Amino acid sequence: MSPRPDPDALGFVLTDVARMLRGAFERRIANAGLGLTPGEARTLVRIATLEGGRQLDIAQRLGIEPMTLSTYLDRLQSLGYVERRPDPADRRAKLIFTTPAAGAMIAGIRTEQVELMRQVTSGIAEEDVDLIRDRLRQLRANLSALEEDSSALAPARGTGR
Amino acid sequence: MSPRPDPDALGFVLTDVARMLRGAFERRIANAGLGLTPGEARTLVRIATLEGGRQLDIAQRLGIEPMTLSTYLDRLQSLGYVERRPDPADRRAKLIFTTPAAGAMIAGIRTEQVELMRQVTSGIAEEDVDLIRDRLRQLRANLSALEEDSSALAPARGTGR
DNA sequence: GCGCATAGTAAGGTCCGCTTACGATAAGCC
DNA sequence: GGCTTATCGTAAGCGGACCTTACTATGCGC
């Protein structure tokens, strides 16, 4: 029963690593002249795996609110990396596609990402890296569940679900 | 050689987890009525372990810039959780102490933190949690090294985009 | 047609963190 | 002593990520 929180507790360490990682990624992307923010990069990558998806779907996959995604899309679109096409089946909806120009950018992101992670994980056995990733995915799943719980409690309008 | 980044790559997962964790922590702290932001909580906890330290030291431990810390201290001080006392040995410096009132707050933070992490790590073996924490600390160390390198190079960043 | 749900967005807010510039003090050097 | 340079903290202001609230346009059941 130590009476105070451990500054090396998992939560704090995780936060630290994420913050620093973001900073490092930012520097890399800036140096590489890619001209994207980390959030935009993440979004673009995710879109590439959900080619032709609706904004709501993509937002959900990214774990962000539709409005946040909308802002990123504005940027990505103005940079010519994605297109919003009307959904022929539903005129309210728009389908998101990457443009050919995005290919090089995505490859560039991947390069930076791989290289950065290579540096950052140096000194850690490959199995351990895999294990960490696996367990973090579990954490992410748990957190998703938590978020649903709390939004279920939340007194919101509609409250689908 | 897969031609595109994996959205489940370690870096992305880490970022996801951190963002969601922050959100969950925020909700918890808000619900508990503690009235601190996560950054302030982290700062307060760290101060408690460095009782009487200088701001520069604390900032370094937290991995943030002194100015950022200064802002947090303003808040924590106005809430009555910390004190800035002049350093008798150096009149430029100030030493940071927690107040008695901070005790309950720190205990509260700990409670929330422990409870949250319990939920979040559910389904993961305890050894694995420890292992993750250890390896993440290694990552953090690597990132610290990276940051030092890059600040040594001091590349003009910015790129208005 | 009417009402309500849903897709996207405009507007604006919070939090975290950074940089730049500056005043006050300390410390080194002549 | 007096000058210069380094260091501690801070005022001011910025960018990025994400959120909530409120609105438009469309779809859909009745």
Side-chain angles (χ1 to χ4, degrees):
Chain A
M1 292 218 187
S2 89
R4 61 196 191 207
D6 176 4
D8 277 338
L10 179 56
F12 284 142
V13 178
L14 213 45
T15 304
D16 287 348
V17 170
R19 176 172 40 73
M20 297 168 89
L21 196 59
R22 189 174 106 187
F25 192 48
E26 230 160 45
R27 283 196 298 274
R28 272 200 162 266
I29 282 193
N31 283 348
L34 296 183
L36 289 189
T37 66
E40 289 157 5
R42 238 185 26 175
T43 301
L44 184 55
V45 165
R46 189 53 100 162
I47 288 170
T49 70
L50 292 174
E51 202 76 42
R54 293 189 177 194
Q55 294 189 202
L56 278 186
D57 293 344
I58 296 170
Q60 201 184 346
R61 291 293 191 107
L62 283 166
I64 61 179
E65 296 303 309
M67 186 56 220
T68 304
L69 174 61
S70 193
T71 309
Y72 290 167
L73 287 181
D74 287 348
R75 291 279 293 284
L76 289 173
Q77 187 171 29
S78 78
L79 291 169
Y81 296 130
V82 306
E83 278 181 347
R84 287 189 243 224
R85 299 188 205 152
D87 181 347
D90 183 341
R91 268 188 299 165
R92 292 170 305 179
K94 295 174 188 171
L95 305 182
I96 311 302
F97 292 88
T98 57
T99 65
M105 173 57 75
I106 291 173
I109 293 169
R110 179 175 176 72
T111 301
E112 294 305 319
Q113 188 185 11
V114 167
E115 178 59 20
L116 173 60
M117 291 317 290
R118 201 185 54 69
Q119 289 185 354
V120 169
T121 59
S122 83
I124 298 185
E126 212 167 307
E127 315 88 80
D128 281 2
V129 173
D130 289 346
L131 189 134
I132 293 175
R133 208 190 46 191
D134 267 19
R135 294 304 182 275
L136 286 178
R137 280 201 274 195
Q138 172 81 48
L139 292 189
R140 187 170 60 179
N142 288 348
L143 281 162
S144 284
L146 272 186
E147 279 180 12
E148 270 182 38
D149 285 359
S150 75
S151 71
L153 295 177
R157 41 103 162 271
T159 180
R161 92 133 316 109
Chain B
M1 320 279 137
S2 84
R4 61 197 190 205
D6 175 5
D8 278 337
L10 179 56
F12 283 141
V13 179
L14 212 46
T15 304
D16 287 348
V17 171
R19 176 171 40 72
M20 296 168 90
L21 197 58
R22 187 174 109 189
F25 191 48
E26 234 160 42
R27 281 195 301 272
R28 268 198 166 271
I29 283 193
N31 283 348
L34 297 182
L36 288 189
T37 66
E40 288 157 7
R42 232 174 33 135
T43 301
L44 183 56
V45 165
R46 188 54 101 162
I47 289 171
T49 69
L50 293 173
E51 201 76 41
R54 293 188 177 194
Q55 295 191 200
L56 276 185
D57 294 343
I58 296 171
Q60 202 184 345
R61 291 294 192 107
L62 283 168
I64 62 178
E65 296 303 309
M67 185 55 220
T68 303
L69 174 61
S70 194
T71 309
Y72 289 165
L73 288 181
D74 288 348
R75 293 275 290 282
L76 290 174
Q77 187 170 28
S78 79
L79 292 170
Y81 297 129
V82 305
E83 278 182 348
R84 289 189 243 223
R85 299 188 205 152
D87 182 346
D90 183 341
R91 269 188 297 164
R92 292 169 305 179
K94 294 174 188 172
L95 306 182
I96 310 302
F97 294 86
T98 56
T99 64
M105 174 57 77
I106 291 173
I109 293 170
R110 178 176 176 71
T111 301
E112 294 305 320
Q113 190 184 10
V114 167
E115 178 58 20
L116 173 59
M117 292 317 289
R118 200 185 55 68
Q119 288 186 351
V120 168
T121 59
S122 82
I124 297 183
E126 212 168 305
E127 314 90 80
D128 281 1
V129 173
D130 288 346
L131 188 136
I132 292 175
R133 208 189 48 191
D134 269 17
R135 294 304 183 276
L136 286 178
R137 279 202 274 197
Q138 171 81 48
L139 291 189
R140 187 171 59 179
N142 288 348
L143 280 161
S144 286
L146 270 186
E147 277 179 13
E148 270 181 36
D149 286 358
S150 76
S151 70
L153 296 176
R157 55 194 235 103
T159 175
R161 86 168 138 270

